[in-house]
Amino acid sequence: MREVAIVAAGMTPFGELWDMSLRRLFAEAALEVVKKAGVDHLDSIYVGNMSGGCFVGQEHLGPLMADQIGMAGVPSTRVESACASGGIALRTAFFEVASGASDLVLASGVEKMNDGADATNVLATAADQELEVYHGITFPGLYAMIARAHMAAHGTTEEDMSWVSVKNHRHGALNPKAQFPLEFTLEQVMNSTPVAEPLRLLHCSPVSDGAAAVLLCPLDQAKKYTDQPIKILGTGQATSAMALADRKDPTFLDSVQLSAERAYTMAGVRPGDIDVAEVHDCFAIAEICCIEALGLIEKGQAAGAAAAGLTALGGRIPVNTSGGLKSKGHPVGATGIAQAIEIFEQLRGEAGKRQVQGARLGLAQNMGGSGASSVVHILERT
Ligand code: COA
């Protein structure tokens, strides 16, 4: 396999973007990448998207998006794995370059969630229809059950979860592209409106519009496009039972652990080597489960990690310096690419006030649904 680098990144702000359509969101992020890299062609395009059909009635995104950026004719493919669609688009693009099949591949993600569709019901299509959704469950409900089980099994508290939100909003307040770049106190989080007990409004990622894109090429060609290529050192993907009730332990995200093990093995690194991580905090409890399954925090310490400052900027392993899904926003198909962009910028020293000094190795973890799919990338400064 050839070594692969990310050479350019582009991203819209995330938020309720009423004047931006699905195609315009994609075009803005993709054209930013094309312009930054100074390329006049692409060999291939991948578009991560969870549900263009349900959200805005638009499927068949591959050709539509290629045409939007003046690249009709280029092979262009939509990739879907619920909220992990972006991360898996990146992985697919990685293999196309690594295999030698293509040199210049755009990996992107886009979602338009605020356009009238009932986002809660559309998102629920990523849960098990027969075993879960039929009985009335939604994603806030599923993660509330994970939270309750975590509290019962590990003594996790509402305060532990709330510190995750406080931390991620502190980080997000430093991110000009974040949907909610605001700080909240612990008290504000703990008194916010109940959504699905024990989860409250400020434990939940929002409903968002947005797009993100990165350009991949072989590492030995990367200097044509940038002075600072970032190498993709490892990638890992895994699945788990779709329904929570079918898992051995609903508090443990086994797909996250498996995808991470595969990425660490490919990269030849250990969790302790990682300097900065973006993890899938669609709900505050998810960040606690993810940092434990990724091995970033010792077993038993994950719940208290945010309160102890371990995962904050300046802490032992800064997690979600972008603000995470909680503060930056979660346009589901775009999220995995946006996570990779935060790590790309951190490793290039371009993260401004969010910069983790001296970061050399970064990890991005993106998952679908309640953890039925997960994908991990490990990036390295060259
Ligand atoms: N964080 C911070 N503030 C938020 C927010 C969030 N996640 N979501 C909404 N707000 C703010 C809004 O700006 C609004 O503020 P305002 O009154 O000052 O204008 C207020 O809270 C109410 O917003 P509204 O859009 O009416 O909220 P809602 O009740 O329709 O939706 C949630 C709130 C939490 C239910 C919704 O964001 C949600 O479903 N999130 C989860 C999404 C999800 O499941 N993603 C997939 C994960 S697997």
Side-chain angles (χ1 to χ4, degrees), residues 28-297:
E28 192 163 303
L31 290 174
E32 186 183 339
V33 171
V34 166
K35 189 170 165 207
K36 281 182 177 163
V39 295
D40 59 6
H41 77 284
L42 296 169
D43 294 331
S44 177
I45 299 170
Y46 289 96
V47 185
N49 175 261
M50 175 183 157
S51 205
C54 293
F55 281 123
V56 294
Q58 182 68 63
E59 304 280 19
H60 210 178
L61 298 191
L64 178 75
M65 297 311 180
D67 191 31
Q68 292 307 306
I69 57 169
M71 303 253 181
V74 171
S76 181
T77 309
R78 179 252 188 106
V79 176
E80 188 276 315
S81 193
C83 310
S85 301
I88 295 178
L90 176 61
R91 178 175 157 86
T92 312
F94 167 84
F95 282 118
E96 185 163 332
V97 176
S99 70
S102 293
D103 284 342
L104 274 177
V105 179
L106 189 81
S108 68
V110 62
E111 208 78 54
K112 176 81 194 160
M113 298 169 77
N114 289 294
D115 215 3
D118 176 354
T120 302
N121 280 329
V122 176
L123 289 165
T125 62
D128 188 314
Q129 289 301 309
E130 291 184 15
L131 300 183
E132 295 177 322
V133 185
Y134 179 78
H135 304 280
I137 199 76
T138 61
F139 271 105
L142 284 168
Y143 278 92
M145 292 201 292
I146 294 177
R148 279 264 176 256
H150 215 277
M151 288 165 135
H154 306 293
T156 304
T157 64
E158 285 187 43
E159 194 168 316
D160 291 331
M161 293 191 290
S162 302
W163 275 114
V164 172
S165 304
V166 171
K167 168 188 70 83
N168 288 349
H169 272 286
R170 264 185 207 154
H171 294 170
L174 305 173
N175 185 350
K177 297 219 163 145
Q179 179 166 358
F180 289 106
L182 321 166
E183 294 201 26
F184 290 102
T185 63
L186 184 69
E187 200 181 26
Q188 283 172 313
V189 177
M190 293 195 63
N191 291 324
S192 58
T193 310
V195 172
E197 282 184 286
L199 302 183
R200 294 170 179 273
L201 178 75
L202 293 175
H203 297 127
C204 304
S205 60
V207 170
S208 317
D209 307 325
V214 289
L215 184 65
L216 275 58
C217 76
L219 182 62
D220 61 9
Q221 298 176 24
K223 286 280 165 87
K224 283 199 271 183
Y225 309 108
T226 178
D227 293 340
Q228 272 192 295
I230 297 299
K231 184 175 166 187
I232 301 180
L233 201 58
T235 173
Q237 183 183 348
T239 56
S240 180
M242 188 92 150
L244 274 188
D246 284 341
R247 298 197 196 146
K248 246 189 265 159
D249 176 1
T251 69
F252 188 71
L253 297 173
D254 52 352
S255 68
V256 178
Q257 185 188 43
L258 256 180
S259 56
E261 272 173 15
R262 289 168 183 159
Y264 289 136
T265 302
M266 182 174 174
V269 303
R270 288 167 302 131
D273 299 326
I274 302 297
D275 300 311
V276 56
E278 287 284 299
V279 314
H280 198 98
D281 62 321
C282 49
F283 297 92
I285 186 65
E287 177 169 313
I288 292 172
C289 297
C290 287
I291 56 176
E292 182 160 37
L294 292 165
L296 296 175
I297 294 289

